[in-house]
Amino acid sequence: MQDSASRFGYFVSPDRQIDFDRNNHEVASKVAAAEPGLNWCISCGTCAATCTAAKFTDFSLRRIILQVKRGELKGLAREAQKCMLCGKCQLVCPRGISTRNLILQINRVLQSENL
Amino acid sequence: MSKHVAVVGAGIAGIEAASILNAMGHSITLIEKNEILGGHINHWHQLFPNRRQGRDLLEKLYEKMDDSIQVQYGKEITSIKPFSGKFIVTAADGWVTNADAVLMATGFDLFDAHKKEEYGYGIYDHVITSADLEEIFIQGEGLNPRLGKDPQRIGFIHCVGSRDEKAGNIYCSKVCCITAVKQAIEIKELYPSVEVYCFYMDLRMFGRHYEELYQEAQEKHNIQFIRGRLSEASENKQGGVVVKVEDTLLGKPLKLTLDLLVLMSGMVAPVAVTNMRDKLGLAKVDDGFLKPVDPHTQANLSELPGFFMAGTATGPKTITDTLTDARSAALEIDRFLKEII
Ligand code: SF4
Ligand code: SF4
Ligand code: SF4
């Protein structure tokens, strides 16, 4: 509160830009090595449309995949764990991606990198 | 007596139509403004979707060309005038011919990428066009002479000069999405460790085996597709090209640095052909291309009897579509010539 007052109500907006040059691309290459389906995703969103977790929270497998590919990893480990591994998404993915394995590998790599 | 057809433009549409009309027994003059046949394909290394050599396609077409086709080189047609049931076709150097029918196989020009100044073509060393890249592939020396090193990151910008009110062209050029995919794969084959990014608004993989090539680009070559249109490119101190787009699927602005930026230049109507269209009082479209009487059933006909068109003269087309269109124009012309006997 006091801080806010000393700034006369102004604050600094955090930079939202994806700084692709600086972002971590290790995670993406490790995930892709374990589950190449990472690179086949066309961001169609069919997975998120069928996902029960996505219906009640703002969890989206489509977005998680994209965040991994762009190296936007902040808060991702927690987000990725919301998946219940039910496998509904795998039934509908038009690119035939093993989506359950993909999210398992994303979880594994994020944890092993302590992210 | 055989009828005389003037085919204007000896790119693939003109060659194909001339061969067929000649085989049908008509007398053909094939008029080309350059000193060689083949048009744009001369400058294209490999063609989508099967990666055959541009040369190879041209040789196939030349094989079918009979010697009785009269070819006129270096003739830039400046005027076509209807005159008592015929056409007087005149070139810039004063050369004239009379014809019973004219086929406009005048093709397209590449969009001049200098016009998108914010993309830095002609300003930054490491910004080139898709046509420049084909030329580099044909030279066979790779990118090192230009970059002075092995490239690490290359970006392709889709829709340069197409689908863009600012460039004056609202249409889609049709071939550049799949060309970008093809060129990205060629780059990966040349430099396997390079990272390749395609920046697109929509990916238009409508043709037979285009989607398969796109899938191959992702699965086999790890080419990344980022949905977002380039706002501007700038150069950093090291000569890298910094691009800014919105990653529209993540809803965030994105910035990255590339060693080389390739602009997918679209197709535009040649100004001289648009002027000729207007001089003849032919129907206008909302761009400079020629307008057929009916886009489905009379795609090669104008309102002027005897004046036909084929290929990209009526708008962007693939090679397959251009050749099919040229053959259909030949049939229409044959029918017309038989009727006027
Ligand atoms: S496996 Fe996970 S992401 Fe897929 S539908 Fe089930 S909860 Fe959603
Ligand atoms: S359904 Fe498959 S292709 Fe579509 S966004 Fe999900 S993982 Fe990607
Ligand atoms: S084919 Fe693709 S790159 Fe070319 S204008 Fe159409 S959408 Fe743009």
Side-chain angles (χ1 to χ4, degrees), chain B residues 144-168:
Chain B
N144 301 56
R146 178 177 275 266
L147 300 178
K149 59 167 187 175
D150 274 357
Q152 287 170 334
R153 261 194 204 161
I154 297 180
F156 288 85
I157 305 296
H158 290 223
C159 306
V160 176
S162 312
R163 307 178 66 200
D164 183 358
E165 288 273 7
K166 293 285 185 301

CSV table of all heavy atoms in Angstrom, one decimal, chain B residues 144-168:
chain,number,residue,atom,x,y,z
B,144,ASN,N,26.4,-19.2,-47.5
B,144,ASN,CA,27.7,-18.6,-46.9
B,144,ASN,C,28.3,-17.4,-47.6
B,144,ASN,O,28.7,-16.5,-46.9
B,144,ASN,CB,28.7,-19.7,-46.7
B,144,ASN,CG,28.2,-20.9,-45.9
B,144,ASN,OD1,27.1,-21.4,-46.2
B,144,ASN,ND2,28.8,-21.2,-44.8
B,145,PRO,N,28.3,-17.4,-48.9
B,145,PRO,CA,28.9,-16.2,-49.6
B,145,PRO,C,28.1,-14.9,-49.1
B,145,PRO,O,28.7,-13.9,-49.0
B,145,PRO,CB,28.6,-16.4,-51.0
B,145,PRO,CG,28.5,-17.9,-51.2
B,145,PRO,CD,27.9,-18.4,-49.9
B,146,ARG,N,26.8,-15.0,-48.9
B,146,ARG,CA,26.1,-13.8,-48.5
B,146,ARG,C,26.2,-13.5,-47.0
B,146,ARG,O,26.4,-12.4,-46.6
B,146,ARG,CB,24.6,-14.0,-48.8
B,146,ARG,CG,23.7,-12.8,-48.4
B,146,ARG,CD,22.3,-13.0,-48.9
B,146,ARG,NE,22.1,-12.6,-50.3
B,146,ARG,CZ,21.7,-11.4,-50.6
B,146,ARG,NH1,21.4,-10.5,-49.7
B,146,ARG,NH2,21.4,-11.1,-51.8
B,147,LEU,N,26.2,-14.6,-46.2
B,147,LEU,CA,26.1,-14.4,-44.8
B,147,LEU,C,27.5,-14.4,-44.1
B,147,LEU,O,27.7,-13.9,-43.0
B,147,LEU,CB,25.3,-15.5,-44.1
B,147,LEU,CG,23.8,-15.6,-44.5
B,147,LEU,CD1,23.1,-16.7,-43.8
B,147,LEU,CD2,23.1,-14.3,-44.2
B,148,GLY,N,28.5,-15.0,-44.8
B,148,GLY,CA,29.8,-15.1,-44.3
B,148,GLY,C,29.9,-16.1,-43.2
B,148,GLY,O,30.9,-16.2,-42.4
B,149,LYS,N,28.9,-16.9,-43.0
B,149,LYS,CA,28.9,-18.0,-42.0
B,149,LYS,C,27.8,-18.9,-42.3
B,149,LYS,O,26.9,-18.7,-43.1
B,149,LYS,CB,28.8,-17.4,-40.6
B,149,LYS,CG,27.5,-16.6,-40.4
B,149,LYS,CD,27.2,-16.3,-39.0
B,149,LYS,CE,25.8,-15.6,-38.9
B,149,LYS,NZ,25.3,-15.4,-37.6
B,150,ASP,N,27.8,-20.1,-41.6
B,150,ASP,CA,26.6,-21.0,-41.6
B,150,ASP,C,25.5,-20.3,-40.9
B,150,ASP,O,25.6,-19.8,-39.8
B,150,ASP,CB,26.9,-22.3,-40.9
B,150,ASP,CG,27.6,-23.3,-41.9
B,150,ASP,OD1,27.8,-22.9,-43.0
B,150,ASP,OD2,28.0,-24.4,-41.4
B,151,PRO,N,24.3,-20.3,-41.5
B,151,PRO,CA,23.2,-19.7,-40.8
B,151,PRO,C,22.7,-20.5,-39.7
B,151,PRO,O,22.8,-21.7,-39.7
B,151,PRO,CB,22.1,-19.6,-41.9
B,151,PRO,CG,22.4,-20.7,-42.8
B,151,PRO,CD,23.9,-20.9,-42.8
B,152,GLN,N,22.2,-19.8,-38.7
B,152,GLN,CA,21.6,-20.6,-37.5
B,152,GLN,C,20.1,-20.4,-37.5
B,152,GLN,O,19.4,-21.4,-37.1
B,152,GLN,CB,22.2,-20.0,-36.2
B,152,GLN,CG,23.6,-20.5,-36.1
B,152,GLN,CD,24.4,-19.8,-34.9
B,152,GLN,OE1,24.0,-18.7,-34.5
B,152,GLN,NE2,25.4,-20.5,-34.4
B,153,ARG,N,19.6,-19.3,-37.9
B,153,ARG,CA,18.2,-19.1,-37.8
B,153,ARG,C,17.7,-18.3,-39.1
B,153,ARG,O,18.2,-17.2,-39.4
B,153,ARG,CB,17.8,-18.2,-36.6
B,153,ARG,CG,17.3,-19.0,-35.5
B,153,ARG,CD,16.7,-18.0,-34.5
B,153,ARG,NE,16.8,-18.6,-33.2
B,153,ARG,CZ,16.7,-17.9,-32.1
B,153,ARG,NH1,16.5,-16.6,-32.1
B,153,ARG,NH2,16.7,-18.5,-30.9
B,154,ILE,N,16.7,-18.9,-39.7
B,154,ILE,CA,16.1,-18.3,-40.9
B,154,ILE,C,14.6,-18.1,-40.8
B,154,ILE,O,14.0,-19.0,-40.2
B,154,ILE,CB,16.5,-19.1,-42.1
B,154,ILE,CG1,18.0,-19.1,-42.3
B,154,ILE,CG2,15.8,-18.6,-43.4
B,154,ILE,CD1,18.5,-19.9,-43.5
B,155,GLY,N,14.1,-17.0,-41.2
B,155,GLY,CA,12.7,-16.8,-41.1
B,155,GLY,C,12.1,-16.6,-42.5
B,155,GLY,O,12.7,-15.9,-43.4
B,156,PHE,N,10.9,-17.1,-42.7
B,156,PHE,CA,10.1,-16.8,-43.9
B,156,PHE,C,8.9,-16.0,-43.6
B,156,PHE,O,8.2,-16.3,-42.7
B,156,PHE,CB,9.7,-18.1,-44.6
B,156,PHE,CG,10.8,-18.9,-45.2
B,156,PHE,CD1,11.6,-19.8,-44.4
B,156,PHE,CD2,11.1,-18.8,-46.5
B,156,PHE,CE1,12.6,-20.5,-45.0
B,156,PHE,CE2,12.1,-19.5,-47.1
B,156,PHE,CZ,12.9,-20.4,-46.3
B,157,ILE,N,8.7,-14.9,-44.4
B,157,ILE,CA,7.5,-14.1,-44.1
B,157,ILE,C,6.5,-14.4,-45.3
B,157,ILE,O,6.8,-14.1,-46.4
B,157,ILE,CB,7.8,-12.6,-44.1
B,157,ILE,CG1,8.9,-12.3,-43.1
B,157,ILE,CG2,6.6,-11.8,-43.8
B,157,ILE,CD1,8.5,-12.6,-41.6
B,158,HIS,N,5.3,-14.9,-44.9
B,158,HIS,CA,4.3,-15.2,-45.9
B,158,HIS,C,3.6,-13.9,-46.3
B,158,HIS,O,3.6,-12.9,-45.6
B,158,HIS,CB,3.3,-16.1,-45.3
B,158,HIS,CG,3.8,-17.5,-45.1
B,158,HIS,ND1,3.1,-18.7,-45.5
B,158,HIS,CD2,5.0,-18.0,-44.7
B,158,HIS,CE1,3.8,-19.7,-45.2
B,158,HIS,NE2,5.0,-19.4,-44.7
B,159,CYS,N,2.8,-13.9,-47.4
B,159,CYS,CA,2.0,-12.8,-47.8
B,159,CYS,C,2.6,-11.5,-48.0
B,159,CYS,O,2.1,-10.5,-47.6
B,159,CYS,CB,0.8,-12.7,-46.9
B,159,CYS,SG,-0.2,-14.1,-46.5
B,160,VAL,N,3.8,-11.4,-48.6
B,160,VAL,CA,4.5,-10.1,-48.8
B,160,VAL,C,3.9,-9.6,-50.1
B,160,VAL,O,4.2,-10.1,-51.2
B,160,VAL,CB,6.0,-10.3,-48.8
B,160,VAL,CG1,6.7,-8.9,-49.2
B,160,VAL,CG2,6.5,-10.8,-47.5
B,161,GLY,N,3.2,-8.5,-50.0
B,161,GLY,CA,2.6,-7.9,-51.2
B,161,GLY,C,1.2,-8.5,-51.6
B,161,GLY,O,0.6,-8.2,-52.6
B,162,SER,N,0.8,-9.5,-50.8
B,162,SER,CA,-0.5,-10.1,-51.0
B,162,SER,C,-1.4,-10.0,-49.8
B,162,SER,O,-0.8,-9.8,-48.7
B,162,SER,CB,-0.4,-11.6,-51.3
B,162,SER,OG,0.6,-11.9,-52.2
B,163,ARG,N,-2.7,-10.0,-50.0
B,163,ARG,CA,-3.6,-9.9,-48.9
B,163,ARG,C,-3.3,-8.7,-48.0
B,163,ARG,O,-3.2,-8.7,-46.8
B,163,ARG,CB,-3.5,-11.2,-48.0
B,163,ARG,CG,-3.7,-12.5,-48.8
B,163,ARG,CD,-3.6,-13.7,-47.9
B,163,ARG,NE,-4.7,-13.7,-47.0
B,163,ARG,CZ,-4.7,-14.5,-45.9
B,163,ARG,NH1,-3.6,-15.2,-45.6
B,163,ARG,NH2,-5.7,-14.5,-45.1
B,164,ASP,N,-3.0,-7.6,-48.7
B,164,ASP,CA,-2.5,-6.4,-48.0
B,164,ASP,C,-3.0,-5.2,-48.7
B,164,ASP,O,-2.5,-4.8,-49.8
B,164,ASP,CB,-1.0,-6.5,-48.1
B,164,ASP,CG,-0.3,-5.4,-47.3
B,164,ASP,OD1,-1.0,-4.5,-46.8
B,164,ASP,OD2,0.9,-5.3,-47.2
B,165,GLU,N,-4.0,-4.5,-48.1
B,165,GLU,CA,-4.5,-3.3,-48.6
B,165,GLU,C,-3.4,-2.2,-48.8
B,165,GLU,O,-3.4,-1.4,-49.7
B,165,GLU,CB,-5.6,-2.7,-47.7
B,165,GLU,CG,-6.9,-3.4,-47.7
B,165,GLU,CD,-7.9,-3.0,-48.7
B,165,GLU,OE1,-7.5,-2.1,-49.6
B,165,GLU,OE2,-9.0,-3.4,-48.7
B,166,LYS,N,-2.5,-2.2,-47.9
B,166,LYS,CA,-1.4,-1.2,-47.9
B,166,LYS,C,-0.5,-1.4,-49.2
B,166,LYS,O,0.1,-0.5,-49.7
B,166,LYS,CB,-0.5,-1.4,-46.7
B,166,LYS,CG,-1.2,-1.0,-45.4
B,166,LYS,CD,-1.3,0.5,-45.3
B,166,LYS,CE,-1.9,0.9,-43.9
B,166,LYS,NZ,-3.2,0.4,-43.7
B,167,ALA,N,-0.4,-2.7,-49.6
B,167,ALA,CA,0.4,-2.9,-50.8
B,167,ALA,C,-0.5,-2.8,-52.1
B,167,ALA,O,-0.1,-2.9,-53.2
B,167,ALA,CB,1.0,-4.3,-50.8
B,168,GLY,N,-1.8,-2.6,-51.8
B,168,GLY,CA,-2.8,-2.4,-52.9
B,168,GLY,C,-3.3,-3.7,-53.5
B,168,GLY,O,-3.9,-3.7,-54.5
